[in-house]
Amino acid sequence: MARPEYIIEHMEEEEPDAPANFPPWALLEYRHMLYHVGEGSTVHFTSLSQASLDELAKAFAAPLPTLTQKRAKFELHAKSVTTLAKERGWAMKYICLLDPKAPYALSVADAGVHPSSVAHDHPFTHFLFGGILGDHPPRDRTASLRELGFPSRHLGSVQMSTDTALGVTKRVVEDGLRLGLAELTGQDKADTQLDGVAALTWVDRPTLEFGRGESVRTLFC
């Protein structure tokens, strides 16, 4: 069975001829996504201005020196996800939007790789994320994708960076690690302890230590 692919719809408001607006941490986040997915699948970056497309192509040209695992392939697109899907023949019902306001949590069964004790719809072939470069408090910019009618799933109530959300999604639907969040207990279509190979372990809003007396607590999972 083919692995699912992943789509990052770049949602920063950019004019077609505007300069790229990628701070170093944002480029690192986008580069991390390729390693979260790993060899054997593709990450599509859509709705890029020409400057952003060029900037990402340059950033992706070299591997991250601290990581040894093989990364996913990538494709950079000026087209939106809807235009690309139409051209590639990807049916919308098989593209899952990761949306904090989705009615159901992501399941180990959602890519058709692992079974679930709970009834689910057809497996998805693509998982779609809104690429938002820093948004706290959240402004619900995923709404513009939600309004297009994609089926959707959520990852719990804690906000995540886009690369973390992608990594969690891959671990759930491909590696079979259920979300395992207490808040999902008893919810409709949520995985149970019978599902998957194990549960994910979470660290919410971790504190990063930089040196003596210097640390920062992140706002995200």
Side-chain angles (χ1 to χ4, degrees), residues 42-217:
T42 301
V43 182
H44 299 268
F45 297 86
T46 55
S47 289
L48 296 168
S49 68
Q50 186 59 52
S52 291
L53 194 153
D54 293 341
E55 185 79 4
L56 282 179
K58 181 180 177 181
F60 291 164
L64 286 171
T66 57
L67 299 176
T68 58
Q69 67 266 40
K70 294 183 179 179
R71 64 185 187 177
K73 295 179 181 179
F74 66 89
E75 293 186 19
L76 306 177
H77 309 274
K79 299 167 184 173
S80 69
V81 59
T82 51
T83 300
L84 183 65
K86 186 177 295 185
E87 291 183 355
R88 298 283 178 96
W90 301 338
M92 182 177 289
K93 68 179 182 179
Y94 295 118
I95 301 175
C96 176
L97 172 64
L98 276 296
D99 179 1
K101 295 189 177 182
Y104 306 118
L106 188 70
S107 166
V108 296
D110 276 329
V113 177
H114 301 275
S116 173
S117 61
V118 183
H120 284 270
D121 300 329
H122 52 73
F124 299 111
T125 59
H126 294 77
F127 291 88
L128 170 63
F129 305 80
I132 299 172
L133 306 183
D135 214 12
H136 187 80
R139 287 188 284 158
D140 193 27
R141 286 195 280 180
T142 306
S144 62
L145 293 174
R146 184 186 310 128
E147 292 166 359
L148 297 175
F150 291 104
S152 60
R153 298 287 188 269
H154 69 78
L155 300 173
S157 60
V158 176
Q159 186 181 4
M160 301 180 191
S161 62
T162 310
D163 60 334
T164 298
L166 183 147
V168 168
T169 298
K170 189 267 182 184
R171 297 301 303 277
V172 172
V173 302
E174 295 200 64
D175 300 343
L177 296 173
R178 63 184 178 275
L179 290 173
L181 296 167
E183 67 188 70
L184 301 180
T185 302
Q187 288 193 13
D188 189 23
K189 295 190 177 182
D191 288 333
T192 71
Q193 292 184 352
L194 300 175
D195 301 316
V197 298
L200 286 169
T201 300
W202 297 88
V203 179
D204 293 342
R205 300 181 179 88
T207 298
L208 306 179
E209 303 287 346
F210 296 109
R212 186 175 180 180
E214 186 177 5
S215 65
V216 63
R217 188 184 186 199

